[in-house]
Amino acid sequence: MSEHGTWQPHEITPRSAGCAATVDGLVEHLREVDLTALLTAEKALVFRGFGVEPGALDPVMDMVLPNRLAYVHGNSPRTKVGRNVYTSTEYPAPYTISMHNELSYAAHWPARLLFYCQIAAATGGATPVVDAQLWLESLDPEVRAAFAGGVCYQQNLHDGLGLGKSWQQTFETEDRAEVEAFLDGTGANWKWTADGLRVSQVRPATTRHPVTGVEVWFNQSDQWHPAALDDEVARVMTQVMSQDELPQSVTFADGSPIPDEYVFQVRDRGLDAAIDVDWRVGDLLLIDNVLVAHGRRPYTGSRRILVAMSD
């Protein structure tokens, strides 16, 4: 393990920032710091103790997310609750969401993600975060070499009735022409089918940060691979459907299968190296989406984490 194994998100409180324990105090502090430099250096920032209410989120988001993005071409189920503000992935509470960089399977991804805790879980529900360079370094050389050529993601998006997300939900439009124009700009292969839309796209398994140049693990092969599906519905799907029929699947870029044991190693080492951010109501977490991957621990009770993203 490299020296990055001691990495932790950087916590900012009213005391450490020397400002009032209010939203206005946080906004004033953000005006005074070079947030881009700070986030690049620290990779993830946790803001605690500022008493941020849901109705006061916009001024904070305007400071930390220069260009709030829509969750277009996103594959996880979530609900839009404001101006490009969404619930975090609506996946059943008993299950872990493994580590991933948001939209790393897409042609374009957000540079930053901001999470906000509106309702904290009764137990569990932490957001684990991992240094994506450390994650890459933790993988066996054999696995890293196997992924060097990249991966191919495939989606089957139904037309309003079926498993997984519809193409209308995925692209936030009812207009096929808009979808076609978007996909043509991504280099993806796509075709309309009797049931909806099939999309396939080859992407690299790693990327480099635009400022630091550091290479990081940057793909979602473990989340798209049938072997890693851990809820009952997903298990049944893999038994009754071929891989080409699944809502989403992944192979190596040349179409050859990714061994199950590679997928398990990627998933487990990312989770093992992760640091849990435990939530209190009003907390915010800002991450560099290339330098840091995130996930979700299982939980009990109600939990509502909102998320927004920016380029």
Side-chain angles (χ1 to χ4, degrees), residues 24 35 37 49 68 77 79 113-114 124 129 149 153 181 191 193 197 200 213 222 234 241 257-259 278 284 294 297:
D24 288 343
L35 189 63
R68 217 181 303 171
T79 302
L113 302 181
L114 179 70
V129 289
Y153 301 100
K191 67 176 180 179
T193 67
L197 176 66
S200 65
D222 62 309
M241 303 171 73
I258 301 174
D278 294 309
L284 299 118
H294 65 282
R297 302 294 186 186

Side-chain angles (χ1 to χ4, degrees), residues 16-32:
S16 68
C19 64
T22 63
V23 174
D24 288 343
L26 175 57
V27 170
E28 282 301 314
H29 172 67
L30 292 169
R31 285 197 182 104
E32 295 171 359

Side-chain angles (χ1 to χ4, degrees), residues 6-7 10 18 31 55 70 73 82 90 113 124 196 212 232 251 264 292:
T6 59
W7 174 81
H10 179 63
R31 285 197 182 104
H73 206 180
E90 295 166 356
L113 302 181
T212 68
E232 190 58 36
T251 64
F264 297 144
V292 171

Side-chain angles (χ1 to χ4, degrees), residues 91-195:
Y91 195 55
Y95 300 109
T96 297
I97 297 176
S98 59
M99 308 309 295
H100 61 286
N101 304 79
E102 201 65 44
L103 290 167
S104 60
Y105 53 83
H108 307 288
W109 52 81
R112 297 178 182 180
L113 302 181
L114 179 70
F115 299 88
Y116 166 75
C117 180
Q118 183 176 1
I119 301 172
T123 63
T127 293
V129 289
V130 67
D131 180 328
Q133 180 185 4
L134 171 63
W135 190 7
L136 174 63
E137 292 173 353
S138 74
L139 301 176
D140 292 350
E142 174 189 1
V143 173
R144 294 175 62 171
F147 277 91
V151 296
C152 180
Y153 301 100
Q154 180 172 291
Q155 291 172 288
N156 288 303
L157 304 170
H158 61 78
D159 198 25
L161 183 63
L163 296 169
K165 294 180 72 175
S166 69
W167 64 264
Q168 295 94 331
Q169 292 170 317
T170 299
F171 295 99
E172 296 191 0
T173 182
E174 301 280 338
D175 188 337
R176 289 192 175 206
E178 285 186 27
V179 175
E180 293 171 3
F182 177 89
L183 290 173
D184 285 343
T186 67
N189 293 313
W190 57 270
K191 67 176 180 179
W192 296 105
T193 67
D195 300 316

Side-chain angles (χ1 to χ4, degrees), residues 61 65-72 78 80 82-86 102-103 108-113 172 289 307-311:
M61 288 192 289
L65 303 176
N67 180 32
R68 217 181 303 171
L69 301 173
Y71 187 61
V72 175
R78 60 185 73 208
K80 193 170 186 176
R83 182 172 62 87
N84 290 345
V85 180
Y86 302 82
E102 201 65 44
L103 290 167
H108 307 288
W109 52 81
R112 297 178 182 180
L113 302 181
E172 296 191 0
N289 187 45
V307 63
M309 56 197 79
S310 174
D311 55 13

